[in-house]
Amino acid sequence: MAVRTPVYLDHHATTPMDPAVLEVLQRVQKDHFGNPASQGHSFGWAAQTLVENARHQVAQLVGAEDREIIFTSGATEANNLVLLGGAATSGKPCKIISTTLEHSSIAEPLTRLQEQGWDVVRIQSDLDGLIQPEDIEACLNDDQDHEVLMVSVIAAQNEIGTLQPLEQIGKLCRRRGVLFHSDAAQACGHVPIDAQAMNLDLVSISSHKIYGPKGVGALMVKRTHPPLPLAPLFFGGGQENGLRPGTLNVPGISAFGEACRLALKNRDEEVLRLRQLKDRFWHRLQEQLPGVYLNGAAEPRLPGNLNIRFDGIRSAQLLPRVSVLALSTGAACRSDEPGPSPVLMSLGLDSNQADSSVRIGLGRFTSQEDVDFAAERLIGAVEKLRQE
Ligand SMILES: *Cc1c(COP(=O)(O)O)cnc(C)c1O
């Protein structure tokens, strides 16, 4: 079967919309312009019904109650709301525990808080790209000077795909009565994330990482008495419990809901299919090339993720040689930042090794033919570069 090129292998940067999701987006955009906050007429009621239906679909994906879902413009906003909105409720700077594996939308707000006097602890991952719960426990027990506001740990790392032990960390946080947040943008819809079982108080989700439209996402906020300490970042309307004022993006939210429904429906099957494709890809490279290494633990890992290091190759030279493949050297959101990836460095790689690494992200529409074609092209390009 002929392979359609270019082959898209960058599903951690974003995913194409599922055709069923696109259909919902277009239908709602066309037929329902009402404002869900207009409670006096049927246009508003129809829009509100669509939003509440989507809220239910998102909630189902993370094992939450409908009213625990706050719609945002994406996971970046959800992450900023958690950290900056959480910090704003505290009268004085205290302590936040996070990790060296975080996405820039956690890492940068944390740096801002640090500049404002907060004690920010970034737990170092092990050489496999996994956070050890004991390290978090030690930090929670560490000094009693500073009250800990929250623990924030990425669920699935966006470069190396490693899945963090959220259930164990959740238990520690619950025992200590500390808030537990996870940036689950790469995990929700791809692997099971259950807010209840993992003791998660706050979860960030993104639509465009799960075959939904861009510019939509959600924050799950566990309902408690009294409510969790969280202040809005924006003001000017009571929407979303006052936590995220502004007129809702009804078409985007509806389509996001559909994306969540599809992700949940297909998830277990898709995990098996992608894992098999990923293993096939990796075995081909390993069989035919010397000096190839997997960055990060083989398991537990996102089923569609490979992050591979080729000895003696610079990825900046390799990528243009395989322009028929859409690959990346790391996080799309920090592609403007020079220097090696901090995540790869935290695996103990030196900057040369980090520079010889490539991220491969397989997705819902990746076929076995795509994988075979991509492996063959990559192997050819690496062999050729090594001869030069
Ligand atoms: C993509 C991503 C984000 C940002 O999500 P947006 O919806 O694009 O703002 C945050 N965290 C992780 C881990 C991501 O992969």
Side-chain angles (χ1 to χ4, degrees):
M1 196 168 89
V3 168
R4 284 199 20 192
T5 57
V7 178
Y8 189 73
L9 298 171
D10 201 13
H11 287 84
H12 304 299
T14 192
T15 57
M17 248 191 282
D18 190 287
V21 171
L22 180 60
E23 209 178 287
V24 170
L25 184 74
Q26 288 174 328
R27 178 171 50 78
V28 174
Q29 187 84 270
K30 182 164 161 282
D31 296 342
H32 298 281
F33 72 87
N35 185 332
S38 300
Q39 283 306 299
H41 52 69
S42 62
F43 294 83
W45 302 330
Q48 192 194 22
T49 302
L50 289 166
V51 168
E52 295 315 314
N53 183 39
R55 200 184 300 284
H56 180 67
Q57 290 169 318
V58 178
Q60 291 289 300
L61 185 64
V62 288
E65 287 176 37
D66 295 5
R67 55 192 172 171
E68 295 177 324
I69 301 298
I70 304 291
F71 287 112
T72 66
S73 65
T76 299
E77 187 191 329
N79 286 341
N80 275 268
L81 178 56
V82 164
L83 296 177
L84 304 179
T89 63
S90 164
K92 56 174 185 2
C94 45
K95 183 167 169 175
I96 297 185
I97 300 173
S98 188
T99 80
T100 55
L101 299 178
E102 301 302 313
H103 185 264
S104 50
S105 58
I106 291 286
E108 290 183 29
L110 283 179
T111 302
R112 287 300 300 268
L113 289 175
Q114 215 165 5
E115 287 162 5
Q116 292 164 18
W118 283 71
D119 180 10
V120 174
V121 180
R122 296 173 181 84
I123 303 288
Q124 172 76 39
S125 81
D126 67 11
L127 299 181
D128 271 339
L130 296 167
I131 298 297
Q132 297 301 322
E134 302 84 73
D135 292 342
I136 299 214
E137 187 170 27
C139 188
L140 281 169
N141 294 334
D142 191 16
D143 72 312
Q144 312 292 329
D145 307 350
H146 279 150
E147 195 184 324
V148 180
L149 174 72
M150 82 175 72
V151 171
S152 177
V153 178
I154 192 167
Q157 215 292 320
N158 50 296
E159 292 178 54
I160 55 175
T162 47
L163 305 176
Q164 304 307 322
L166 297 188
E167 199 165 332
Q168 287 163 273
I169 298 170
K171 280 204 187 92
L172 296 173
C173 293
R174 178 57 48 92
R175 207 180 305 142
R176 294 293 307 264
V178 171
L179 285 184
F180 184 32
H181 166 252
S182 182
D183 172 1
Q186 294 285 351
C188 271
H190 298 281
V191 291
I193 294 290
D194 185 327
Q196 294 244 347
M198 294 170 167
N199 276 319
L200 281 159
D201 299 299
L202 300 142
V203 182
S204 303
I205 315 167
S206 176
S207 154
H208 76 101
K209 303 286 173 70
I210 55 169
Y211 310 93
K214 293 169 184 54
V216 195
L219 178 65
M220 186 220 81
V221 183
K222 193 181 159 80
R223 251 178 57 97
T224 57
H225 299 287
L228 293 189
L230 202 56
L233 300 180
F234 310 148
F235 299 90
Q239 291 94 344
E240 301 301 270
N241 261 336
L243 273 178
R244 208 291 188 160
T247 305
L248 292 170
N249 169 6
V250 180
I253 287 169
S254 285
F256 175 30
E258 173 70 2
C260 290
R261 186 186 71 80
L262 288 172
L264 187 56
K265 178 166 152 262
N266 300 323
R267 190 179 59 206
D268 296 348
E269 227 174 282
E270 191 63 357
V271 164
L272 296 176
R273 192 188 73 89
L274 283 175
R275 190 176 288 149
Q276 196 232 331
L277 285 181
K278 176 210 35 160
D279 290 344
R280 182 181 176 96
F281 202 141
W282 173 230
H283 292 143
R284 297 229 154 170
L285 295 179
Q286 260 190 319
E287 278 161 17
Q288 297 187 42
L289 286 174
V292 295
Y293 307 94
L294 188 65
N295 293 324
E299 288 294 336
R301 191 184 191 100
L302 280 176
N305 174 278
L306 289 171
N307 193 304
I308 294 171
R309 196 164 88 238
F310 299 96
D311 262 355
I313 299 285
R314 290 178 43 97
S315 55
Q317 287 179 308
L318 176 61
L319 260 47
R321 303 286 188 99
V322 285
S323 57
V324 70
L325 311 176
L327 294 167
S328 88
T329 53
C333 9
R334 58 176 306 281
S335 52
D336 57 337
E337 291 170 48
S341 145
V343 169
L344 295 181
M345 301 296 277
S346 83
L347 303 184
L349 270 57
D350 63 34
S351 64
N352 272 333
Q353 291 173 318
D355 282 342
S356 57
S357 299
V358 170
R359 178 180 71 177
I360 298 169
L362 311 179
R364 187 175 291 169
F365 307 107
T366 308
S367 67
Q368 184 165 303
E369 287 77 14
D370 291 335
V371 162
D372 292 350
F373 174 82
E376 186 197 305
R377 289 301 175 99
L378 258 181
I379 290 162
V382 169
E383 281 174 341
K384 199 140 174 281
L385 267 174
R386 281 179 177 168
Q387 282 162 13
E388 283 172 10

